Amino acid sequence: MTYDETTLAQLTEDAAAIIARYPVKRSALLPMLHLVQSVDGFVSPDGIQFCADRLELTAAEVSAVATFYTQYKRRPNGEYQVGVCTNTLCAVMGGDRIWDELSDHVGVGHDETTEDGKITLERLECNAACDYAPVMMVNWEFFDNQTPESAKQVVDDLRAGKDVAPTRGPATVCSFKQVSRVLAGFDDGRANEDQGAGEATLAGLEAAKGQGWEASK
Amino acid sequence: MTELVPVLTATWGSEQSWSLDTYTKAGGYAPLKKALGMAPTDIIQSVKDSGLRGRGGAGFPTGMKWGFLPPDDGGPRYLVVNADESEPGTCKDIPTMLAAPHALVEGVAITSFAIGCNHAFIYIRGEVAHVHRRVQQAVREAYEAGHLGKDIHGSGFDLDVTVHAGAGAYICGEETALLDSLEGRRGQPRLKPPFPAVAGLYARPTVVNNVESVASVPSIIGNGVDWFTAMGTERSKGMGIFSLSGHVQRPGQYEAPLGITLRELLQLAGGIREGHELKFWTPGGSSTPMFTEDQLDTPLDYEAVGAAGSMLGTRALQIFDETTCVVRAVTRWTEFYKHESCGKCTPCREGTYWLTQILKRIEGGRGTQADIQQLLDTCDSIAGRSFCALGDGATSSIISSVKLFREEYEAHVEQGGCPFDHAASALFEYSDTPATEEAHA
């Protein structure tokens, strides 16, 4: 393994915290793979060996799990994972066009990363925000109601190093490594950041208010 | 006119709606204290009497699921919340957890107490970072307030809750695949029986419930069974979140009694997109056979939707207007199932591959009339012959769309291409150029 002493010590401490959440330690594997990505930016050979050692598995067993899930990246990932939903509903509402224009604009295709290491593009499956179609995700934050122009602007801003705010979620999008640490279950202190619940989220509530309807008590 | 009933959604517009403070001020965690004073069997009986059915798609009675656990043998038993919301069109659990995560946490505490569980898990899909922050924080707040942890409110009941992130796999919404995934394995479904109630997580008795099912429990305990059963229809009780998406004026989350109709919901949502008309819709996500305007007045409950030939599923109402090519829509859904098929069983793994090949051929204008029959024959080899429901779901939109819109499939063959202008379906203007043919990796 090529982790330096400090990195290895931190990884070991974090892995112990993850393992302590479960009655059976193998359950820690998925969050630990997110943890590895938070350090290496992908599921590295070192990271696989680290998980295997901690969980008393073979590297083959860890790899078998890592390759099953699309969020685990097998090559160094861009700083920003940019996904355009091209599942049916988003695709029909404009997602296909957004993908075409964005992919042309950035110059990379599905699961490819720009040369500057900033952007990895992905055609996403449904991300459970259909009421905001067409949807784009950046490092797993919501960018709702997109157009080709808005999507390209987001990516241009990210590449220019500007802070970018999702339409729902925290004040700014964090890096791929940072978000991987959140998914490993570590608090980044941003839960109270907010961009508003969102118009579609509140649509039914507003309609009920407009009619004076409430659930009985 | 059926009235909307904001229960779970009631506080979503409040200041810091996700905080413990907001939730408590709205009456939150009073049901937990009430439940802790009840006998666990009485809580299970109340949920049985309420008629609450699983809100994750299958609609299995929740109380009955709890009741299937074998008698206490002194070993651990688990509650696992299925928060892996991924069915195309389904978008209710994510806003629930973003806006009111404490409803879920309180539901977890009550459910765990009822079934004798001391360690519960919330398995959330990985692709929603802010949801993880909110649910993790809600769990921390609940521990600090004594709603979780040791000897909760002096009851002697202990409960730990672990929030767990998935990593991108639709199949993990299938409850046994979810359990394998939670055990640190590839998310592939298990043979049933044994059912999770008997041998679930770590081969111990386990209840797996959807977010909305669990979040509904505090309202039932707090307001009573009669309150809950006053909503809904004869065999589909209570409220549910209906998620409208697609070509409607005001898409979003509409919480209503089960049995409301799409016509009523559309009226509340401002109708179909200006100048257009309804063509087809899914009542419960992409795995449920599609409907047309003929079912506008079908009560959206488990029985009536079933009798009309589909399934209530997750109440994911995806609405498509007349500009939408049904072959394009179905092809894309089928690519999704191909991508998400776990590979464990042959009918689904190979079948979804071949369905995609045939559909792309038809959509691209290279199909034959015989391909349409071949599609249906291939569906026959998958539906009912796959290891889990993913394979069945993959065939739903194909079979129903060929039945309803066969002439549209034929038109693709006859004209050697798609007769629709895809740009007309989009929400922004652009001039149509051929879409990329790039497949999902």
Side-chain angles (χ1 to χ4, degrees):
Chain A
M1 248 190 279
T2 55
Y3 290 121
D4 62 50
E5 208 173 308
T6 321
T7 309
L8 187 61
Q10 184 65 50
L11 268 174
T12 305
E13 186 188 323
D14 290 339
I18 294 172
I19 291 166
R21 296 177 199 148
Y22 303 94
V24 174
K25 66 180 175 183
R26 182 167 177 158
S27 281
L29 182 52
L30 265 67
M32 278 175 63
L33 289 166
H34 286 302
L35 178 70
V36 163
Q37 297 206 119
S38 79
V39 174
D40 290 336
F42 73 117
V43 176
S44 60
D46 280 354
I48 288 172
Q49 192 57 52
F50 173 78
C51 293
D53 291 346
R54 293 289 115 194
L55 300 176
E56 295 176 76
L57 299 169
T58 65
E61 285 170 319
V62 173
S63 295
V65 173
T67 52
F68 185 81
Y69 298 92
T70 53
Q71 276 186 291
Y72 298 133
K73 304 302 174 186
R74 298 159 79 174
R75 294 184 299 276
N77 205 65
E79 188 177 351
Y80 299 99
Q81 175 79 18
V82 176
V84 178
C85 180
T86 54
N87 201 303
T88 296
L89 190 113
C90 277
V92 165
M93 308 289 281
D96 273 351
R97 181 67 183 190
I98 295 172
W99 170 261
D100 288 349
E101 290 200 25
L102 190 63
S103 181
D104 278 354
H105 183 71
V106 179
V108 297
H110 172 74
D111 204 20
E112 292 175 2
T113 303
T114 54
E115 274 181 22
D116 61 4
K118 284 277 188 188
I119 308 288
T120 299
L121 281 194
E122 180 181 13
R123 289 168 65 104
L124 280 188
E125 296 301 355
C126 184
N127 221 95
C130 316
D131 45 347
Y132 293 98
V135 171
M136 181 168 86
M137 304 295 292
V138 179
N139 287 345
W140 313 118
E141 308 290 0
F142 290 105
F143 287 73
D144 303 322
N145 304 121
Q146 293 296 293
T147 64
E149 289 67 38
S150 66
K152 284 186 277 190
Q153 188 64 52
V154 165
V155 169
D156 287 347
D157 288 349
L158 290 169
R159 296 186 84 176
K162 294 182 189 165
D163 278 347
V164 171
T167 53
R168 279 178 299 145
T172 56
V173 171
C174 63
S175 72
F176 181 76
K177 289 182 179 179
Q178 287 167 331
V179 78
S180 296
R181 192 168 170 81
V182 172
L183 298 180
F186 294 99
D187 180 22
D188 67 355
R190 306 183 71 175
N192 289 329
E193 292 181 15
D194 194 42
Q195 304 283 346
E199 198 179 327
T201 299
L202 300 178
L205 194 58
E206 293 301 321
K209 271 186 195 157
Q211 302 277 354
W213 295 336
E214 285 180 21
S216 66
K217 284 287 168 192
Chain B
M1 182 79 191
T2 307
E3 297 187 5
L4 296 176
V5 283
V7 177
L8 300 176
T9 56
T11 57
W12 288 9
S14 308
E15 187 73 20
Q16 298 237 330
S17 66
W18 57 90
S19 72
L20 177 64
D21 196 41
T22 306
Y23 185 70
T24 309
K25 277 183 184 147
Y29 287 105
L32 172 62
K33 287 171 189 161
K34 182 176 172 185
L36 291 172
M38 294 169 69
T41 49
D42 291 344
I43 300 173
I44 296 175
Q45 193 58 48
S46 293
V47 173
K48 279 183 181 168
D49 293 344
S50 76
L52 173 65
R53 292 169 65 171
R55 299 294 193 238
F60 194 83
T62 304
M64 201 186 290
K65 209 174 194 182
W66 298 0
F68 283 157
L69 290 189
D72 187 4
D73 63 359
R77 38 222 276 151
Y78 298 107
L79 169 66
V80 177
V81 176
N82 184 345
D84 192 51
E85 181 168 66
S86 313
E87 166 82 3
T90 309
C91 50
K92 64 191 180 62
D93 296 338
I94 295 303
T96 301
M97 291 185 285
L98 271 177
H102 280 286
L104 174 61
V105 175
E106 185 180 15
V108 166
I110 296 173
T111 304
S112 297
F113 179 67
I115 64 170
C117 154
N118 300 114
H119 195 162
F121 297 85
I122 304 175
Y123 183 112
I124 307 175
R125 68 179 297 181
E127 304 99 320
V128 284
H130 215 50
V131 173
H132 282 271
R133 294 190 188 96
R134 291 269 165 90
V135 176
Q136 288 169 14
Q137 171 166 286
V139 168
R140 274 197 305 278
E141 287 180 321
Y143 268 103
E144 285 158 18
H147 301 313
L148 299 177
K150 298 280 176 214
D151 188 21
I152 297 170
H153 300 303
S155 63
F157 170 60
D158 301 339
L159 177 63
D160 283 315
V161 175
T162 297
V163 180
H164 181 93
Y170 167 69
I171 187 60
C172 292
E174 197 282 337
E175 62 177 7
T176 61
L178 185 150
L179 293 174
D180 260 33
S181 179
L182 182 52
E183 290 183 2
R185 301 170 191 279
R186 295 163 74 89
Q188 293 189 316
R190 300 174 180 176
L191 190 64
K192 294 189 275 192
F195 286 91
V198 174
L201 186 63
Y202 314 128
R204 294 293 306 166
T206 301
V207 167
V208 184
N209 280 156
N210 166 260
V211 169
E212 191 184 353
S213 311
V214 175
S216 297
V217 170
S219 71
I220 294 170
I221 298 302
N223 299 321
V225 169
D226 292 344
W227 166 84
F228 192 77
T229 56
M231 294 179 281
T233 57
E234 198 188 338
R235 287 175 58 209
S236 298
K237 296 298 185 190
M239 70 290 173
I241 301 173
F242 292 80
S243 307
L244 267 79
S245 62
H247 291 128
V248 294
Q249 297 281 7
R250 287 190 295 278
Q253 310 302 321
Y254 294 79
E255 193 174 11
L258 299 186
I260 195 170
T261 65
L262 181 62
R263 190 186 300 281
E264 291 173 312
L265 284 164
L266 280 176
Q267 207 173 322
L268 293 163
I272 299 289
R273 177 166 77 133
E274 185 91 46
H276 295 275
E277 57 189 44
L278 176 64
K279 180 175 176 181
F280 62 95
W281 55 293
T282 66
S286 60
S287 301
T288 62
M290 61 177 65
F291 279 166
T292 60
E293 62 179 4
D294 292 344
Q295 287 80 26
L296 270 172
D297 296 309
T298 301
L300 296 173
D301 67 12
Y302 298 101
E303 290 72 33
V305 175
S310 189
M311 288 174 289
L312 186 61
T314 49
R315 287 151 281 120
L317 311 169
Q318 304 174 89
I319 313 291
F320 297 92
D321 71 19
E322 84 291 346
T323 63
T324 312
C325 171
V326 78
V327 177
R328 178 190 183 199
V330 169
T331 302
R332 197 58 62 87
W333 277 323
T334 307
E335 289 185 80
F336 164 76
Y337 291 104
K338 185 199 93 178
H339 182 250
E340 300 296 339
S341 176
C342 78
K344 179 162 181 157
C345 77
T346 308
C348 176
R349 182 187 65 241
E350 301 300 316
T352 53
Y353 172 82
W354 285 109
L355 288 174
T356 304
Q357 300 296 309
I358 300 166
L359 277 163
K360 289 186 83 158
R361 192 157 73 211
I362 296 174
E363 193 199 3
R366 303 181 304 278
T368 65
Q369 297 292 351
D371 278 340
I372 303 169
Q373 188 55 44
Q374 183 60 55
L375 268 183
L376 297 177
D377 291 347
T378 307
C379 286
D380 263 353
S381 306
I382 301 171
R385 292 174 166 79
S386 301
F387 201 85
C388 79
L390 190 149
D392 301 336
T395 65
S396 290
S397 69
I398 298 173
I399 295 171
S400 60
S401 66
V402 171
K403 200 167 166 189
L404 292 164
F405 300 103
R406 189 176 185 112
E407 70 289 349
E408 217 165 290
Y409 282 86
E410 291 167 351
H412 281 74
V413 173
E414 285 157 13
Q415 298 179 25
C418 181
F420 287 85
D421 172 14
H422 292 183
S425 302
L427 294 188
F428 47 81
E429 292 200 3
Y430 71 92
S431 58
D432 201 8
T433 52
T436 54
E437 292 272 322
E438 187 179 349
H440 289 227

